[in-house]
Amino acid sequence: MSIEHMSIEQKTTAHEMEEIAGNIASVEKQICQLTEEYQRPKNSVRLLAVSKTKPVSALEAAYHAGQRAFGENYVQEAVEKRQTLSHLADIEWHFIGPIQSNKSRMIAENMDWVHSIDREKIARRLSEQRPESLPPLKVCIQVNISGEASKAGVSLSELDNMVALVNSLPNLCLKGLMAIPAPQDSHDAQCAVYRPLADAFNALSAKQTEVDTLSIGMSGDLPAAIASGSTMVRVGTAIFGARDYSV
């Protein structure tokens, strides 16, 4: 069974539900401590719970612990979860994975946010396929800040052109930038990689009032990301535990 077609019906035990609630509280506390340490404004960093491959019962446990924003990498799985959890009306669904052209309509019709726009074709398809009955799709442009040939994202030199394109599309609303850097050996090295992206984000947000999201930081580099100005961190394992790809 492929990852995208994994079952979302697995039940989360009462003990696991308690663990998820405790994990969210722990991550939120860490975020709060880091915002204070790096003299960031209170409540300036949002937690995005990366819930890919996790059953709906785990998401519901996180919801009842106060979590509202969930990040998914596989669109069919995300749509199934959204339908199953439709009674929880204020969940915010974020698509954070690579976008295949043949899946763009499902994303446009079902997601609230997309963090991984890095191609003109995909941006245009998402705008064209976004239903007029829904508000513009909130999007982040993915930037390849490590220069990895295998990594998605536009280069910083291409960013202005992608910003202009997204701004021209009527059914997209540019909210910010996203990146997944290559692993680094130290906090200082992580910050050094993030610095040019943070500078680009600050320049962009100064010109566009709706640009307020710098989507950087995962479990392994939260301190560096928050020190570098992240406004949204993407955390999965520290909330839900390790992913089981064997089912």
Side-chain angles (χ1 to χ4, degrees):
M1 182 179 295
S2 68
I3 291 173
E4 187 163 357
H5 293 88
M6 294 174 73
S7 172
I8 63 170
E9 301 301 327
Q10 172 190 343
K11 295 300 181 182
T12 301
T13 67
H15 175 68
E16 289 170 332
M17 292 174 69
E18 289 178 6
E19 280 193 337
I20 289 170
N23 291 342
I24 289 174
S26 178
V27 173
E28 290 280 16
K29 182 179 179 180
Q30 183 185 13
I31 291 170
C32 183
Q33 290 172 337
L34 288 168
T35 56
E36 290 181 7
E37 180 178 349
Y38 295 110
Q39 300 180 325
R40 298 282 308 282
K42 188 177 182 180
N43 299 322
S44 61
V45 182
R46 295 184 65 199
L47 173 61
L48 179 62
V50 178
S51 46
K52 63 180 180 181
T53 78
K54 293 301 177 181
V56 290
S57 55
L59 277 71
E60 199 156 12
Y63 176 92
H64 290 303
Q67 182 64 29
R68 293 295 182 270
F70 294 88
E72 294 284 333
N73 286 58
Y74 310 112
V75 63
Q76 186 169 328
E77 177 187 339
V79 171
E80 290 175 5
K81 287 175 176 176
R82 179 165 194 156
Q83 292 171 346
T84 304
L85 297 174
S86 60
H87 58 291
L88 306 178
D90 55 344
I91 288 183
E92 191 175 83
W93 295 96
H94 295 240
F95 191 79
I96 60 176
I99 303 173
Q100 298 174 310
S101 295
N102 64 347
K103 301 292 177 64
S104 62
R105 182 175 296 278
M106 291 180 70
I107 294 170
E109 292 177 348
N110 290 280
M111 297 293 103
D112 301 307
W113 284 67
V114 174
H115 290 232
S116 46
I117 287 186
D118 68 344
R119 286 175 288 157
E120 177 179 350
K121 178 181 178 181
I122 292 299
R124 291 191 183 279
R125 286 176 69 90
L126 289 173
S127 182
E128 292 166 359
Q129 295 168 343
R130 182 71 169 174
E132 293 295 336
S133 59
L134 295 177
L137 185 63
K138 296 177 180 179
V139 302
C140 292
I141 296 170
Q142 183 171 353
V143 181
N144 185 344
I145 55 175
S146 299
E148 297 174 277
S150 62
K151 193 70 67 72
V154 301
S155 67
L156 283 170
S157 64
E158 299 169 322
L159 181 57
D160 286 348
N161 288 339
M162 185 59 73
V163 167
L165 170 68
V166 172
N167 285 335
S168 74
L169 298 174
N171 294 317
L172 301 185
C173 175
L174 180 61
K175 295 297 291 178
L177 307 178
M178 184 274 268
I180 307 172
Q184 303 296 322
D185 294 333
S186 69
H187 173 87
D188 288 346
Q190 291 169 341
C191 290
V193 171
Y194 279 138
R195 194 168 297 119
L197 180 70
D199 290 343
F201 169 74
N202 290 334
L204 183 59
S205 62
K207 293 186 291 187
Q208 295 186 211
T209 56
E210 290 189 334
V211 172
D212 58 9
T213 301
L214 182 57
S215 174
I216 57 173
M218 296 180 283
S219 298
D221 66 347
L222 278 187
I226 291 175
S228 300
S230 174
T231 68
M232 186 177 292
V233 293
R234 308 182 302 272
V235 179
T237 302
I239 294 173
F240 297 109
R243 299 183 186 97
D244 181 4
Y245 292 110
S246 65
V247 293

